[in-house]
Amino acid sequence: MKTTFRTLILIFIASGLLLLASCGDDDFLKPVITISELGLGDSRVAYAGTDLHIEAEIEAAAGINMISVEIHQEEGSSDEIEVEYDEFSGLKNMTFHKHIEIPAETPTGTYHVHVTVTDLEGYQTTVEDEIEIEELTDEEAPEIIISSAPESGMSFSSGETISISGTITDNISLAGILVALVYESDNIADTDVAGDNTSVIVMLHTHDFDDPDETEFSASIEVGAENDNNMTPAAIEGDNAWKSGNYYILVKSKDVKANWAYSNHYQLTVNY
């Protein structure tokens, strides 16, 4: 009888240890999410009618399947903002950086932000944070001052570096800067020069600022470079492949209310 009782106790302990080990393994397999930026300058503030900057470091040993972001109020409005991203499928380690549109009619207040990562094995992790959504009235665009740029018509050959620098200020807060090298014959409107436009060569693209109302910038690209200087560098090939001819540099910047400012065209020639 004593032996049977001891046996039952040992089985119970072994089962408990197995269960704990199993739980521990599950936790180990789940994706890991670390939010590094929420709101411009990690301010935990977003404005109705603009976008929310969110950045997170993600590790998923089994590979990412889906990333979703949900924004809602605990009390008050029942409206929710939900977005899903599947373009990162298969990646195991990455920096997730997105700008999520906050509709203009969104009520102000405290909101919960849930970031969920589901991996290819079905394991899922959710982290939660808070932001304040506030009203913003602003019709004044940023100001771009160029301090150094190529002289008009200056010629650059393979291996030489094209550079431009300056200062950008805003009355409230900057939200983005793009510096692009544009092939003149492509006839691309300034409004269409963007970080995701594969016909331009991105020299600088950022949404991060130490001082949100004033920043100095410096952008450069070597003629013949294989990759651009986008937030995630991309190959210079296809529509934006290097070619000889007339180019110009365009600097553009927006504030948190999406008021855009554009520089003059700084024209140059490439011999490639």
Side-chain angles (χ1 to χ4, degrees), residues 3-54:
T3 301
T4 301
F5 181 73
R6 287 197 190 96
T7 302
L8 289 172
I9 292 295
L10 289 172
I11 291 172
F12 178 78
I13 292 172
S15 298
L17 290 172
L18 183 62
L19 179 61
L20 288 173
S22 176
C23 291
D25 288 343
D26 284 351
D27 289 340
F28 177 75
L29 292 171
K30 288 182 177 180
V32 177
I33 309 168
T34 304
I35 295 178
S36 54
E37 180 183 3
L38 195 56
L40 189 64
D42 199 29
S43 61
R44 265 56 178 182
V45 175
Y47 298 98
T50 67
D51 51 34
L52 169 68
H53 293 215
I54 182 168

Side-chain angles (χ1 to χ4, degrees), residues 80-245:
E80 291 188 352
I81 299 170
E82 295 182 73
V83 286
E84 292 185 338
Y85 306 94
D86 60 4
E87 67 261 38
F88 307 108
S89 181
L91 296 180
K92 295 184 177 182
N93 299 291
M94 63 161 297
T95 298
F96 173 74
H97 186 108
K98 287 292 181 180
H99 300 175
I100 300 172
E101 183 180 349
I102 307 297
E105 64 274 14
T106 303
T108 60
T110 302
Y111 283 73
H112 292 262
V113 178
H114 300 265
V115 180
T116 301
V117 175
T118 305
D119 70 17
L120 293 170
E121 297 292 333
Y123 290 101
Q124 189 175 83
T125 298
T126 299
V127 295
E128 180 180 348
D129 213 316
E130 287 189 350
I131 61 168
E132 291 291 328
I133 294 182
E134 302 176 356
E135 289 286 351
L136 176 64
T137 301
D138 178 24
E139 298 180 356
E140 186 176 336
E143 181 181 8
I144 301 171
I145 299 174
I146 304 299
S147 56
S148 177
E151 294 182 8
S152 181
M154 190 172 179
S155 181
F156 293 85
S157 299
S158 294
E160 294 183 329
T161 299
I162 302 168
S163 300
I164 190 169
S165 60
T167 303
I168 302 178
T169 58
D170 188 66
N171 61 314
I172 294 179
S173 184
L174 296 165
I177 297 175
L178 177 72
V179 182
L181 187 63
V182 185
Y183 194 63
E184 197 168 84
S185 296
D186 286 339
N187 295 315
I188 302 172
D190 289 354
T191 53
D192 294 330
V193 175
D196 58 0
N197 187 327
T198 56
S199 293
V200 304
I201 297 174
V202 175
M203 299 174 63
L204 172 68
H205 188 196
T206 185
H207 298 275
D208 298 323
F209 307 97
D210 293 331
D211 185 351
D213 59 6
E214 181 175 2
T215 188
E216 294 182 354
F217 73 92
S218 179
S220 62
I221 193 82
E222 182 181 298
V223 176
E226 294 183 356
N227 296 305
D228 66 12
N229 295 324
N230 215 326
M231 289 188 294
T232 300
I236 301 175
E237 60 185 8
D239 290 342
N240 73 341
W242 290 101
K243 46 190 173 282
S244 296

